[in-house]
Amino acid sequence: MDELVARKISEPPSVAAWRNAAVEAAAATGDGDALELVELFFFAYRDFVGDADRLLENYGFGRAHHRVLHFVNRRPGLTIAALLDILKITKQSLNRVLKQLLEAGFVEARAGVVDRRQRLLYPTPEGATLARDLAALQSARFRKVMDELPPAARGAASKFLFAMIDVGERERVRAHLACAKAAGAAT
Amino acid sequence: MDELVARKISEPPSVAAWRNAAVEAAAATGDGDALELVELFFFAYRDFVGDADRLLENYGFGRAHHRVLHFVNRRPGLTIAALLDILKITKQSLNRVLKQLLEAGFVEARAGVVDRRQRLLYPTPEGATLARDLAALQSARFRKVMDELPPAARGAASKFLFAMIDVGERERVRAHLACAKAAGAAT
DNA sequence: CTATTTACGTCAACTATATTGACATAAATC
DNA sequence: GATTTATGTCAATATAGTTGACGTAAATAG
């Protein structure tokens, strides 16, 4: 046994094997253009979230806090159930980060007026400021993108992103955006 | 103290406070359109990765395995360093999932020919098949999107996604895509 | 009015994915 | 021969998620 075996390095089954598989893959998926889009989407999202991550570090918060704060700020008065529906996580998972945001004074909760079991979530002024700073970073990227894109392509972005959403989720997303627009008055 | 205090529910600072903050935010970020794009990007990515997640469950793999397998399949002979550069994670983090993929027989490694310190990563036939199935799911979404988009908007998607990538990363991504295209022959 | 359902909180154990820091080894290079 | 490079590995820790079980107060159905 040489050092290669010791390090669990072996000969590949055959170069032809994976090459054939790759060609098959291309045939099965139609073309490589779609694959290229898959990768671009991955890279784009990686860099997109990176912006906010750096700011969040200063507060000891992570992406989970960001998402919660974002949606609470965007739709003040949001219920726990509505938030869970947007985030698609369990209440236990939400509760941990929400508790931290409440304790840190970035989010406040009050009992619902029509249904007192509900906790309506609101950003505090500090929370709203942080949410605004985070949103500013991310929308700055979008605005920069729109600037460097040919005018004809600009309107396509939101159509494209919306079309990427699960068909069954689109109505919900549309409703959320309408809700946010109504709440924010200027968003 | 009533039950509301016990449950850490308090009155919001004032409805006006957060409303003003939201208006400020809109003013600071220019407009709500960019904010809307931020959210659409979040929802789109959430559903996009969901496709693959469901398939990966059957193999006991997670997203981390998916990413590794994907890039190994796309660029057979990839080195550890190149993979780390793409994924932007630490070698310790990569090593855990890579070890599992090697042990499960989805990826193979062999010593580099020009530099024997390097481990060149290749998908096994099984790995290539899984990678293909995963890619098929995700590119199917993209192809469906292209179908439902007006023809004029189709070309815009890849331009848009590329523009979303950090300027300093674009050359690297471009190189990766060229590399993948050369390796896959048909992708 | 009682029974049930609903909206939420919480404890516990576990998994997946990432991090930092320190140290080891073999191969390449100066 | 000394150093740098490519990689592996051990250990501790953090973040973000899960399932399952149980509790409570308020709304609602019978």
Side-chain angles (χ1 to χ4, degrees):
Chain A
M1 276 199 196
D2 62 22
E3 77 286 355
L4 291 186
V5 173
R7 288 173 72 200
K8 286 184 187 151
I9 295 179
S10 56
E11 293 300 312
S14 103
V15 174
W18 56 256
R19 185 165 291 276
N20 283 341
V23 172
E24 264 173 48
T29 57
D31 61 343
D33 281 0
L35 254 196
E36 199 165 298
L37 286 168
V38 168
E39 294 188 331
L40 284 174
F41 203 49
F42 165 74
F43 291 122
Y45 195 77
R46 181 195 65 181
D47 293 347
F48 170 71
V49 294
D51 284 345
D53 285 350
R54 285 180 283 274
L55 212 182
L56 287 161
E57 265 179 32
N58 307 332
Y59 295 82
F61 290 148
R63 286 181 197 175
H65 304 87
H66 181 190
R67 291 194 282 267
V68 171
L69 182 59
H70 172 91
F71 287 109
V72 167
N73 185 62
R74 189 105 157 109
R75 281 174 56 181
L78 201 66
T79 64
I80 300 287
L83 197 45
L84 289 176
D85 193 58
I86 288 173
L87 299 175
K88 307 262 185 245
I89 57 175
T90 58
K91 64 178 173 176
Q92 292 92 329
S93 195
L94 170 60
N95 216 257
R96 183 171 29 78
V97 307
L98 181 56
K99 214 187 294 185
Q100 289 168 8
L101 285 168
L102 288 164
E103 279 163 10
F106 287 79
V107 170
E108 293 212 340
R110 72 163 162 170
V113 267
V114 359
D115 184 337
R116 285 173 46 81
R117 288 171 307 179
Q118 294 181 324
R119 298 176 79 192
L120 308 185
L121 304 171
Y122 298 87
T124 63
E126 294 76 34
T129 298
L130 177 53
R132 179 197 58 195
D133 292 346
L134 289 163
L137 273 182
Q138 299 195 310
S139 40
R141 180 179 290 260
F142 270 103
R143 271 183 281 103
K144 213 164 120 285
V145 164
M146 290 311 159
D147 282 350
E148 66 180 86
L149 239 48
R154 284 175 200 165
S158 91
K159 280 188 188 47
F160 161 70
L161 290 174
F162 190 77
M164 285 290 291
I165 296 170
D166 280 348
V167 176
E169 286 293 321
R170 292 186 192 173
E171 206 38 65
R172 222 186 295 263
V173 168
R174 215 192 301 271
H176 158 73
L177 291 175
C179 230
K181 186 173 266 182
T187 61
Chain B
M1 276 197 195
D2 60 22
E3 78 287 353
L4 291 187
V5 173
R7 288 175 71 201
K8 286 183 186 148
I9 294 179
S10 57
E11 292 302 311
S14 102
V15 174
W18 57 255
R19 185 164 293 276
N20 284 340
V23 172
E24 264 172 47
T29 58
D31 60 344
D33 281 359
L35 253 196
E36 198 165 298
L37 286 168
V38 168
E39 294 188 331
L40 285 174
F41 204 48
F42 164 76
F43 290 123
Y45 195 77
R46 182 195 66 181
D47 292 349
F48 169 71
V49 296
D51 283 346
D53 285 351
R54 285 179 282 276
L55 212 182
L56 286 160
E57 265 178 32
N58 307 331
Y59 294 83
F61 290 147
R63 285 181 197 176
H65 304 87
H66 181 191
R67 291 194 283 267
V68 171
L69 182 59
H70 172 91
F71 286 110
V72 168
N73 185 62
R74 189 107 157 106
R75 281 175 55 183
L78 202 66
T79 65
I80 300 286
L83 197 45
L84 289 176
D85 193 58
I86 289 173
L87 300 175
K88 306 260 184 249
I89 56 174
T90 58
K91 63 178 175 177
Q92 294 90 329
S93 196
L94 170 61
N95 215 257
R96 183 179 31 82
V97 308
L98 182 56
K99 214 186 298 187
Q100 289 169 6
L101 284 168
L102 287 165
E103 279 163 9
F106 286 81
V107 170
E108 293 212 340
R110 73 163 161 170
V113 268
V114 357
D115 185 337
R116 285 171 48 81
R117 287 171 307 180
Q118 295 182 325
R119 296 176 80 191
L120 308 186
L121 304 172
Y122 297 88
T124 62
E126 294 75 36
T129 299
L130 177 53
R132 181 198 57 195
D133 291 346
L134 288 164
L137 273 182
Q138 298 194 310
S139 41
R141 180 179 291 258
F142 270 104
R143 271 182 281 105
K144 213 164 121 286
V145 164
M146 291 311 158
D147 280 352
E148 67 180 83
L149 240 49
R154 284 173 201 168
S158 90
K159 281 187 187 46
F160 161 70
L161 290 175
F162 190 77
M164 285 290 290
I165 297 171
D166 280 348
V167 176
E169 286 292 321
R170 293 186 192 175
E171 206 39 64
R172 224 186 293 264
V173 169
R174 217 192 300 272
H176 159 73
L177 292 175
C179 229
K181 187 173 267 183
T187 60

